[in-house]
Amino acid sequence: LATIRDVAKEAGVSIAAVSFAINGTGTLSEETRKKILEAVGKLNYRPNASAKGLVSGKVNTIGLIMPKPGTDFFSFADNDILSGIGAVASKMGFNILLSWDQGKEESNALSLVREGMVRGLTFLLPSNDLDTYRTLNDMNFPFVLMSKPPEGSNCNWVDVDNMDAAYRATLSFIKAGHTRIGFVSPGPMEFLVSRERLAGYKWALLNHGLPYDESCVFEGIGNLESGRQAMQQFMALEERPTAVLAGANMLALGILEKCADAGLSCPLDVALITFDNSPLAMDYNLTAIEIPRGTIAREATNLLMKKISQPTRSEPESIIIPSEIVYRQTFTPSL
Amino acid sequence: LATIRDVAKEAGVSIAAVSFAINGTGTLSEETRKKILEAVGKLNYRPNASAKGLVSGKVNTIGLIMPKPGTDFFSFADNDILSGIGAVASKMGFNILLSWDQGKEESNALSLVREGMVRGLTFLLPSNDLDTYRTLNDMNFPFVLMSKPPEGSNCNWVDVDNMDAAYRATLSFIKAGHTRIGFVSPGPMEFLVSRERLAGYKWALLNHGLPYDESCVFEGIGNLESGRQAMQQFMALEERPTAVLAGANMLALGILEKCADAGLSCPLDVALITFDNSPLAMDYNLTAIEIPRGTIAREATNLLMKKISQPTRSEPESIIIPSEIVYRQTFTPSL
DNA sequence: CTGAAAGCGCTTACAG
DNA sequence: CTGAAAGCGCTTACAG
């Protein structure tokens, strides 16, 4: 691999001149610059990243911290998220380092920071271990969560408003005349996202004079069978829901299957809105709430870049990404 | 951030002693070592990665090159793949740098190499641009593909044997007495994986005296609608297939839907085997060919680690990962 | 407009 | 068993 010294020799100049030419700094005659750039091209020279990092004290890498393997009751390593981060990062000349939250003594994230490997951090999911965030804040090290963090953690974050989205979907049912509405959570209630969506659902009911009935709520785990079980429970009720808000696509498909088995047609007998407008929702013509993961990822990375370029400590910021309901076959509001 | 000098001062020793203590090199009295390690813990010291990289000429990072965004007619950023790579890499003390194949003038992969940011490379999909591989080979730089590369490229690679898997699935149908078997490719025929699966299917037919009939073959694009269209085509035939080999889960679901609509029962009227034993296949009780992406990723990373540790040029290696058929409701071989 | 020199934080021969 | 010193490949004041 060519070094700056090789280029300098090839072009017949000092290594400082090469540095100037490459970084566009200093003052160089057009002729010298051209001569140097030619040598650079000829030798396929690229400045060594370690040397640059050492001398400048800055490294052009951001870390992406994935949840501990096994936590994934949905798939987090979403293509949209990864390429969203990648698009923004590469536009700013940054690389992405992948790492996993290990729940070990010292978090991997902190190691990367202390080794000077990263200049900022994005977290896909809030860690259970809030200590990491506290330490990062103490160091004034920039980081952004791509998910709403638990109360009291002092973080930058970007996410959709899950409560609001659930509220609006439920409201949309109510406006269409539904008075008995089922809710299936996307996962266990320990997850904030489950609690927030439930809260939005509940709030819409109470706000419009409808009773909140626990038998119309099912704690899902995001798969087909769980959706079947939910609908099973709902159909066994004396007065069954005429509309269901599902927390995940697979839940929605399980619900549809049970409906079909029972001879209930959708949307006539049971209307359905599901979270997540994924390809699956499109394929199956499901009315779906768009969770724009690519946008979340891009905005989070932009926010991180902003925090990186502000060396002085600043207040944590959060960005709420709007989420739209995409109306399809399983429910359309009456006009 | 603490430097080696801070630790040396804290422990009252030279910086060389600190380096010895941390790396387990040199010779140090037990007492000195203990004193140093205490200072390290107290100051939360971690050696600066840029400095280590510069002085040793080695960096503990491997690159993962993702396909150009938009190529993904399946989802490549599979959780299993990412955590498979991550598990092996972190066991060996390596980090993972994510990058995208951009189809630009100079490939991102080569930039990373020339900047000294990575010590090895894994590619999720073969690039269209074989020049990159040639250049890497010329530099004797270690890289591994997690997918069978096109003929003539001189690469290390790890993959399942798609031709063999398709052969065995087709054979399994034939042994059960099927003589008219449909094939739906996972994607366009430009993809090697599509061609190989078709070849395996064809070979099984010809090997057992069955005619190869193009009207029983459909070029799918991996989604539900494509599966519906395939089955539509098959049902319009004078003699329709009694068994179908589907290249992707969504194709299989589309096929099942069309069968149900037409009053054909599965597996009685139409038997079905699909590629990819994903959660979807489990949820829908599909007989499926397991493509163990996690295993592919782990083996590829292990192979890369081996190549990294062998400084001398060596012959390219390939590893074939076995793939099993998981029998479920949509087809079970007669005993 | 251009070059010589210091220094970033480490590791590793080399002396003692 | 321990320390002083050179050097990895860059950038950036500082002279000229």
Side-chain angles (χ1 to χ4, degrees), chain B residues 13-14 16 27-29 32 54-55:
Chain B
V13 297
S14 74
T27 49
L28 241 39
S29 70
T32 312
L54 178 58
V55 71

Short mmCIF file of all heavy atoms in Angstrom, two decimals, chain B residues 13-14 16 27-29 32 54-55, chain D residues 1-9:
data_model
loop_
_atom_site.label_atom_id
_atom_site.label_comp_id
_atom_site.label_asym_id
_atom_site.label_seq_id
_atom_site.Cartn_x
_atom_site.Cartn_y
_atom_site.Cartn_z
N VAL B 13 5.17 3.82 36.59
CA VAL B 13 6.04 2.97 35.77
C VAL B 13 6.21 3.63 34.40
O VAL B 13 5.63 4.69 34.13
CB VAL B 13 5.44 1.57 35.58
CG1 VAL B 13 5.33 0.84 36.92
CG2 VAL B 13 4.09 1.66 34.90
N SER B 14 6.94 2.99 33.50
CA SER B 14 7.12 3.51 32.15
C SER B 14 5.94 3.09 31.28
O SER B 14 5.20 2.16 31.62
CB SER B 14 8.40 2.96 31.54
OG SER B 14 8.21 1.61 31.19
N ALA B 16 6.12 1.61 28.51
CA ALA B 16 6.38 0.27 27.97
C ALA B 16 5.82 -0.78 28.92
O ALA B 16 5.18 -1.76 28.49
CB ALA B 16 7.87 0.06 27.77
N THR B 27 8.21 -9.07 30.13
CA THR B 27 8.31 -9.75 31.42
C THR B 27 8.13 -8.70 32.51
O THR B 27 8.78 -7.66 32.50
CB THR B 27 9.70 -10.39 31.57
OG1 THR B 27 10.68 -9.41 31.22
CG2 THR B 27 9.84 -11.60 30.69
N LEU B 28 7.21 -8.98 33.38
CA LEU B 28 6.83 -8.01 34.41
C LEU B 28 6.69 -8.74 35.73
O LEU B 28 6.14 -9.85 35.76
CB LEU B 28 5.48 -7.40 34.03
CG LEU B 28 5.35 -5.90 33.77
CD1 LEU B 28 6.54 -5.35 33.02
CD2 LEU B 28 4.08 -5.64 32.98
N SER B 29 7.16 -8.13 36.78
CA SER B 29 6.93 -8.76 38.10
C SER B 29 5.44 -8.71 38.40
O SER B 29 4.72 -7.82 37.94
CB SER B 29 7.70 -8.00 39.17
OG SER B 29 7.12 -6.74 39.38
N THR B 32 4.29 -5.40 39.82
CA THR B 32 4.16 -4.30 38.86
C THR B 32 2.89 -4.47 38.02
O THR B 32 2.12 -3.53 37.83
CB THR B 32 5.38 -4.28 37.93
OG1 THR B 32 6.56 -4.38 38.71
CG2 THR B 32 5.40 -3.01 37.12
N LEU B 54 -1.96 2.02 13.79
CA LEU B 54 -0.85 2.66 13.07
C LEU B 54 0.47 1.96 13.38
O LEU B 54 1.24 1.61 12.48
CB LEU B 54 -0.76 4.13 13.48
CG LEU B 54 0.39 4.90 12.85
CD1 LEU B 54 0.30 4.84 11.34
CD2 LEU B 54 0.36 6.35 13.32
N VAL B 55 0.72 1.71 14.64
CA VAL B 55 2.02 1.17 15.02
C VAL B 55 2.16 -0.30 14.62
O VAL B 55 3.24 -0.74 14.25
CB VAL B 55 2.27 1.37 16.53
CG1 VAL B 55 1.39 0.46 17.35
CG2 VAL B 55 3.73 1.13 16.87
P DC D 1 11.31 -12.00 36.58
OP1 DC D 1 10.39 -12.27 37.67
OP2 DC D 1 11.02 -12.50 35.23
"O5'" DC D 1 11.55 -10.45 36.45
"C5'" DC D 1 11.23 -9.57 37.51
"C4'" DC D 1 11.76 -8.23 37.14
"O4'" DC D 1 12.82 -8.42 36.17
"C3'" DC D 1 10.75 -7.29 36.46
"O3'" DC D 1 10.53 -6.16 37.30
"C2'" DC D 1 11.41 -6.89 35.14
"C1'" DC D 1 12.86 -7.25 35.37
N1 DC D 1 13.62 -7.60 34.13
C2 DC D 1 14.45 -6.65 33.56
O2 DC D 1 14.55 -5.53 34.11
N3 DC D 1 15.15 -6.94 32.43
C4 DC D 1 15.03 -8.15 31.88
N4 DC D 1 15.73 -8.40 30.77
C5 DC D 1 14.18 -9.15 32.44
C6 DC D 1 13.49 -8.85 33.55
P DT D 2 9.44 -5.13 37.04
OP1 DT D 2 9.06 -4.49 38.32
OP2 DT D 2 8.42 -5.75 36.18
"O5'" DT D 2 10.22 -4.05 36.19
"C5'" DT D 2 11.06 -3.12 36.87
"C4'" DT D 2 11.69 -2.20 35.88
"O4'" DT D 2 12.34 -2.98 34.84
"C3'" DT D 2 10.72 -1.27 35.14
"O3'" DT D 2 11.07 0.06 35.44
"C2'" DT D 2 10.92 -1.58 33.65
"C1'" DT D 2 12.29 -2.24 33.64
N1 DT D 2 12.56 -3.18 32.53
C2 DT D 2 13.54 -2.86 31.63
O2 DT D 2 14.19 -1.85 31.69
N3 DT D 2 13.73 -3.79 30.64
C4 DT D 2 13.07 -4.99 30.48
O4 DT D 2 13.33 -5.74 29.56
C5 DT D 2 12.05 -5.26 31.46
C7 DT D 2 11.26 -6.53 31.38
C6 DT D 2 11.83 -4.36 32.43
P DG D 3 10.15 1.26 34.97
OP1 DG D 3 10.00 2.16 36.13
OP2 DG D 3 8.95 0.75 34.25
"O5'" DG D 3 11.10 1.99 33.92
"C5'" DG D 3 12.41 2.35 34.33
"C4'" DG D 3 13.19 2.88 33.15
"O4'" DG D 3 13.43 1.81 32.22
"C3'" DG D 3 12.46 3.98 32.37
"O3'" DG D 3 13.41 4.96 31.99
"C2'" DG D 3 11.91 3.24 31.15
"C1'" DG D 3 12.98 2.19 30.93
N9 DG D 3 12.51 0.96 30.29
C8 DG D 3 11.42 0.21 30.65
N7 DG D 3 11.26 -0.85 29.91
C5 DG D 3 12.31 -0.81 29.00
C6 DG D 3 12.65 -1.70 27.95
O6 DG D 3 12.08 -2.73 27.61
N1 DG D 3 13.79 -1.27 27.26
C2 DG D 3 14.50 -0.14 27.57
N2 DG D 3 15.56 0.11 26.81
N3 DG D 3 14.20 0.70 28.55
C4 DG D 3 13.09 0.31 29.22
P DA D 4 12.96 6.38 31.46
OP1 DA D 4 13.14 7.33 32.56
OP2 DA D 4 11.64 6.24 30.82
"O5'" DA D 4 14.02 6.65 30.32
"C5'" DA D 4 15.16 5.80 30.18
"C4'" DA D 4 15.81 6.03 28.83
"O4'" DA D 4 15.46 4.92 27.96
"C3'" DA D 4 15.36 7.27 28.07
"O3'" DA D 4 16.38 7.55 27.11
"C2'" DA D 4 14.07 6.79 27.41
"C1'" DA D 4 14.48 5.37 27.01
N9 DA D 4 13.40 4.40 27.04
C8 DA D 4 12.28 4.36 27.84
N7 DA D 4 11.51 3.32 27.63
C5 DA D 4 12.18 2.62 26.63
C6 DA D 4 11.89 1.44 25.95
N6 DA D 4 10.81 0.69 26.20
N1 DA D 4 12.76 1.03 25.01
C2 DA D 4 13.85 1.77 24.77
N3 DA D 4 14.25 2.91 25.34
C4 DA D 4 13.35 3.28 26.26
P DA D 5 16.13 8.63 25.94
OP1 DA D 5 17.47 9.19 25.64
OP2 DA D 5 15.00 9.52 26.27
"O5'" DA D 5 15.71 7.70 24.72
"C5'" DA D 5 16.61 6.68 24.27
"C4'" DA D 5 16.22 6.23 22.87
"O4'" DA D 5 15.13 5.29 22.96
"C3'" DA D 5 15.73 7.36 21.97
"O3'" DA D 5 16.08 7.03 20.64
"C2'" DA D 5 14.23 7.31 22.16
"C1'" DA D 5 14.02 5.80 22.22
N9 DA D 5 12.80 5.37 22.91
C8 DA D 5 12.09 6.02 23.88
N7 DA D 5 11.04 5.36 24.30
C5 DA D 5 11.07 4.19 23.55
C6 DA D 5 10.24 3.06 23.52
N6 DA D 5 9.16 2.92 24.29
N1 DA D 5 10.55 2.06 22.67
C2 DA D 5 11.64 2.20 21.88
N3 DA D 5 12.51 3.22 21.83
C4 DA D 5 12.16 4.18 22.69
P DA D 6 16.00 8.08 19.44
OP1 DA D 6 17.37 8.55 19.18
OP2 DA D 6 14.93 9.06 19.72
"O5'" DA D 6 15.54 7.16 18.22
"C5'" DA D 6 15.96 5.80 18.19
"C4'" DA D 6 14.98 5.00 17.34
"O4'" DA D 6 13.85 4.63 18.15
"C3'" DA D 6 14.43 5.78 16.15
"O3'" DA D 6 14.35 4.90 15.05
"C2'" DA D 6 13.06 6.23 16.62
"C1'" DA D 6 12.65 5.05 17.50
N9 DA D 6 11.67 5.34 18.54
C8 DA D 6 11.55 6.48 19.31
N7 DA D 6 10.57 6.43 20.18
C5 DA D 6 10.02 5.17 19.98
C6 DA D 6 8.94 4.50 20.60
N6 DA D 6 8.22 5.02 21.58
N1 DA D 6 8.65 3.26 20.16
C2 DA D 6 9.39 2.73 19.17
N3 DA D 6 10.42 3.26 18.52
C4 DA D 6 10.68 4.49 18.97
P DG D 7 14.12 5.46 13.57
OP1 DG D 7 14.96 4.68 12.65
OP2 DG D 7 14.18 6.94 13.61
"O5'" DG D 7 12.60 5.05 13.31
"C5'" DG D 7 12.18 3.71 13.56
"C4'" DG D 7 10.68 3.66 13.46
"O4'" DG D 7 10.11 4.09 14.73
"C3'" DG D 7 10.11 4.61 12.39
"O3'" DG D 7 9.13 3.93 11.65
"C2'" DG D 7 9.50 5.74 13.21
"C1'" DG D 7 9.05 4.97 14.44
N9 DG D 7 8.79 5.77 15.62
C8 DG D 7 9.40 6.95 16.00
N7 DG D 7 8.93 7.42 17.13
C5 DG D 7 7.96 6.50 17.51
C6 DG D 7 7.11 6.48 18.64
O6 DG D 7 7.03 7.29 19.56
N1 DG D 7 6.27 5.36 18.63
C2 DG D 7 6.27 4.39 17.66
N2 DG D 7 5.41 3.39 17.81
N3 DG D 7 7.06 4.40 16.60
C4 DG D 7 7.87 5.47 16.59
P DC D 8 8.81 4.34 10.15
OP1 DC D 8 9.73 3.64 9.24
OP2 DC D 8 8.72 5.81 10.11
"O5'" DC D 8 7.35 3.78 9.93
"C5'" DC D 8 6.93 2.51 10.41
"C4'" DC D 8 5.48 2.59 10.80
"O4'" DC D 8 5.40 3.05 12.16
"C3'" DC D 8 4.70 3.61 9.99
"O3'" DC D 8 4.13 2.93 8.87
"C2'" DC D 8 3.63 4.10 10.95
"C1'" DC D 8 4.20 3.78 12.34
N1 DC D 8 4.54 4.94 13.22
C2 DC D 8 4.03 5.00 14.51
O2 DC D 8 3.27 4.10 14.89
N3 DC D 8 4.36 6.05 15.31
C4 DC D 8 5.18 7.00 14.85
N4 DC D 8 5.49 7.99 15.68
C5 DC D 8 5.73 6.94 13.54
C6 DC D 8 5.39 5.91 12.76
P DG D 9 4.30 3.54 7.38
OP1 DG D 9 3.88 2.48 6.44
OP2 DG D 9 5.63 4.17 7.25
"O5'" DG D 9 3.21 4.69 7.35
"C5'" DG D 9 1.85 4.35 7.54
"C4'" DG D 9 1.05 5.62 7.67
"O4'" DG D 9 1.47 6.31 8.86
"C3'" DG D 9 1.25 6.60 6.51
"O3'" DG D 9 -0.03 7.08 6.15
"C2'" DG D 9 2.12 7.69 7.11
"C1'" DG D 9 1.65 7.68 8.56
N9 DG D 9 2.62 8.19 9.51
C8 DG D 9 4.00 8.11 9.45
N7 DG D 9 4.60 8.65 10.47
C5 DG D 9 3.57 9.14 11.27
C6 DG D 9 3.61 9.82 12.51
O6 DG D 9 4.60 10.15 13.17
N1 DG D 9 2.32 10.12 12.98
C2 DG D 9 1.16 9.80 12.32
N2 DG D 9 0.04 10.17 12.93
N3 DG D 9 1.10 9.16 11.17
C4 DG D 9 2.33 8.85 10.69
#
